[in-house]
Each structure stands twice: as structure tokens, then as C-alpha cells.
Amino acid sequence: MTTDTDSRNLTGAQTNAARALLAMVTAFPHLPAPRLRPDVLTPATAEGTHAWGVNVSIHDGLGHFEQWRAALGLDPDAVTAHLDDDFTNWLEVSGTWSGVPVQVIGYFRFTDPGEPQ
């Protein structure tokens, strides 16, 4: 249940995330284009609460994931791998960039060397 005081539901709460998103596009025009969106990230604070941040989703290879992780200064030791039985896999890392929570996700598939690509 949300209330009127729940900041996740206030348009103004998105302002910092939107500014950070614009700053990313401006600061890193040379990087591969990811899908960028303001989003409520969970948990995004040291207290474990939700906060507006920027989700950076990469679908074009793990090299692009690594470029964005490094550009945003996110700790490589904080990267977690999620491996699913249906071959949808992803790497994920969260942190803070310009004072705003960020989450970088790189999707990938393992391929069978015997299967045509």
C-alpha cells in the first residue's frame, strides 16, 4: 500500500534520476547505446529502501556491459551472475553514480557450439 507521503509516487522524486540519465548520455556518447530508464531500484540505499535511480540495460554483449560498468565506476567485485535454465542469463551490478543509484544489467545467452547461430 502506498500513501501520499510515499516519495516513489511523486513525480519530483524522479528528478535526480532523470538528471543522472541525461548526464550519462552527455558524459558517455562514445559508449554503445544501452536502454536507459529512470526506475525504482530495490534496494537502492544503505538502509535497504527503494529509491529512484537509473537502470542501464545492455542486450548487445558482455563487452558493452563491462564498458558501462567501468565508465560508471562500479566495483567489478560487486558484479553478480544470474544463470537460468531457460538460457536467459544476466550480469548485474548496482552502485551510485553522481549521487544517484544505478543498476547495470547485461543480458546474454550461452550458445551450444553445435547449434547454428
Side-chain angles (χ1 to χ4, degrees):
M1 180 175 165
T2 59
T3 66
D4 290 331
T5 59
D6 186 345
S7 66
R8 291 175 292 167
N9 292 324
L10 300 175
T11 301
Q14 299 175 19
T15 302
N16 288 339
R19 283 185 187 135
L21 188 152
L22 182 57
M24 283 179 192
V25 172
T26 304
F28 308 118
H30 59 285
L31 291 181
R35 186 176 119 204
L36 296 168
R37 73 172 193 257
D39 203 356
V40 175
L41 303 180
T42 59
T45 66
E47 297 80 28
T49 59
H50 301 52
W52 277 98
V54 178
N55 176 284
V56 181
S57 297
I58 295 133
H59 299 266
D60 298 327
L62 295 181
H64 295 178
F65 169 88
E66 178 55 21
Q67 287 178 299
W68 274 97
R69 186 216 52 80
L72 295 172
L74 303 178
D75 184 0
D77 292 333
V79 174
T80 58
H82 303 270
L83 308 175
D84 287 343
D85 291 334
D86 71 353
F87 303 106
T88 301
N89 307 289
W90 66 95
L91 297 181
E92 179 179 358
V93 64
S94 296
T96 302
W97 186 76
S98 291
V100 174
V102 294
Q103 176 185 48
V104 181
I105 300 175
Y107 295 95
F108 65 98
R109 289 185 169 255
F110 288 117
T111 56
D112 183 340
E115 294 287 320
Q117 297 197 23

